[in-house]
Amino acid sequence: MPGCRESFVSEDQATAYENFKRAFKSQDALVKATKIADMPQSFRLTMRPETKWAKALSKLSRQPGVSQVVNPVCVGEQSRLRDHFLLQLPAGKVCPTGG
């Protein structure tokens, strides 16, 4: 995977909580019920377009401490299928090769 990274952003629990509050500002009860400790520490890795997604996602998902790897291309395609065709398909069915 060397050379496939375009950008990397690390987010601690406090930052995740601030982002959560902004994203859900219209849902006051949810924001009040959520604490900083509820937020996961996370990072976002943006891959170069030419990256071989399946290999990179597979390798990333096996790293210690990684609970979830999300391919935004598949998320977008899942949304399109849901919005246009009322289909709810898991990412593995939408992008079986990882994108």
Side-chain angles (χ1 to χ4, degrees):
M1 275 190 354
C4 62
R5 181 175 87 182
E6 191 168 285
S7 69
F8 176 85
V9 176
S10 179
E11 185 175 82
D12 62 16
Q13 286 180 301
T15 303
Y17 182 65
E18 291 304 316
N19 290 335
F20 173 84
K21 288 192 315 187
R22 265 194 305 282
F24 294 97
K25 64 184 173 194
S26 64
Q27 298 182 34
D28 194 48
L30 178 62
V31 171
K32 285 182 180 178
T34 306
K35 307 292 179 230
I36 291 175
D38 296 329
M39 298 290 103
Q41 179 180 358
S42 64
F43 66 89
R44 285 181 294 285
L45 176 66
T46 303
M47 309 284 265
R48 291 191 176 134
E50 67 274 8
T51 299
K52 294 185 184 340
W53 281 87
K55 186 176 180 180
L57 294 176
S58 175
K59 187 171 183 175
L60 287 169
S61 67
R62 294 190 311 264
Q63 297 302 307
V66 174
S67 63
Q68 183 180 28
V69 176
V70 177
N71 180 341
V73 174
C74 289
V75 172
E77 187 61 14
Q78 282 175 299
S79 295
R80 188 183 75 77
L81 290 170
R82 183 190 64 238
D83 294 347
H84 292 253
F85 304 106
L86 303 175
L87 293 173
Q88 294 280 12
L89 298 174
K93 296 287 184 182
V94 177
C95 295
T97 61

